[in-house]
Amino acid sequence: MTHPSRPGRPGASPLRRLTPRTLSLLAAGAALTLAATACSSSGDGSGGASLQTITVGVSGATGNTAPIFVGVDGGTFKKYGLNVEVKVLTPTASSAAVGSGTVDIGGDGPNMVASVLASKSGAKVIFTNGITAFYLATQPSITSIAQLKGKTLATTTPGGGADSAVRAALIANHLTPGKDVKIVYLSQNSAALASLGTGKVQAAVVSPPTTIQAVNQFHLKTMDIGDYVLPSVYAVSGGFAAKHPDLVTKFIQGYMAATQLAKTDKAASEAAFKKYLGIKDQAQLDGTWEQYRDRWAASPFPTEYLKELLASLSPPSTADPATLMNNSYVNKIEQSQWVVPSGFPTS
């Protein structure tokens, strides 16, 4: 049994394992939905100076998105003059909301890059927040990905990070998603695991804390599919960036500080896990922090990943990667402040 508390491999290059066929298959079928929010000014509730309120959409309350909750509860963003209102959305909704401008800033997996590419409003990728820890939980009798042929697996949403990762893993093992392996979408990690626990599916994509639960509670096998995971990103809507470039820079600074706090203050991170992720079990709290403290990031999105992703689409995109990214915000911030996992490229 592969134990989920094994440290991740943030320095690995996921796209090295992804072929053009893989990425063309990953690009298909991501449905986009919308969520509405607004930008305004408000007081900080303590009688101090006025804070600028910005709305940030995140793709679920998960271990990967935890730093923003640590920053909100710890007052980190207020130090930069911001009142951050977090909207917990589905992965596709978070990407769509940035593309349409109905949130100011949003975070998601590779789906966000596709949304930026399709955006008519000038949305841009502004930084990466690292790589999500994804595992494939299976029934004990299944000991390899190849054995999933003819089986059914569950994941969260079409086109999300989990869906993209497991499809890449299947293709790398000579299995065609949807043909050799049926994929069902159940919105939540917990629902996917529950379906596996009852035998309705034979495998499920999970991430901490659900990974720890799969091993400790359900006594299932887990296989690390981290080599197939693309970096998650934050992007800004074009309208908000045009009106408030200073607030974009302040948000990134606040996120960097929040990420550093999450990585170094276990108690603060676990308090956020309890409040926003609903984790009560201490083993799951500890395991989630151990899994993510070396994966959380707040640094420029690696250009090499974007170049390979665009070149591998079917048909290949001719878009200049520079038109999809805006590094001017991070370039205003000293590199010493960036939070970068060891070995993770920043250009």
Side-chain angles (χ1 to χ4, degrees), residues 16 44 50 86 126 130 147 150 153 187 197 204 263 268 270 279 291 301 309 332 334-335 338:
R16 296 291 176 259
D44 63 6
S50 178
V86 182
I126 52 176
Q147 290 178 313
L153 70 82
S187 297
K263 291 167 75 75
E270 294 195 349
I279 304 175
Q291 276 284 282
F301 184 68
L309 176 59
K332 295 177 183 177
E334 291 186 13
Q335 187 170 350
W338 297 351

Side-chain angles (χ1 to χ4, degrees), residues 41-53 72 75 77-79 81-85:
S41 296
S42 70
D44 63 6
S46 62
S50 178
L51 300 175
Q52 291 292 315
T53 296
V72 168
F77 292 106
K78 289 184 177 181
K79 295 178 181 178
L82 299 179
N83 175 48
V84 175
E85 293 185 350

Side-chain angles (χ1 to χ4, degrees), residues 4 62-64 132-135 189 206-212 277 279 284 287-289 291-292:
T62 69
N64 185 48
T132 303
F134 283 127
Y135 289 81
N189 270 275
V206 293
S207 59
T210 314
T211 311
I212 296 92
L277 279 63
I279 304 175
Q284 292 181 35
T288 301
W289 186 72
Q291 276 284 282
Y292 275 107

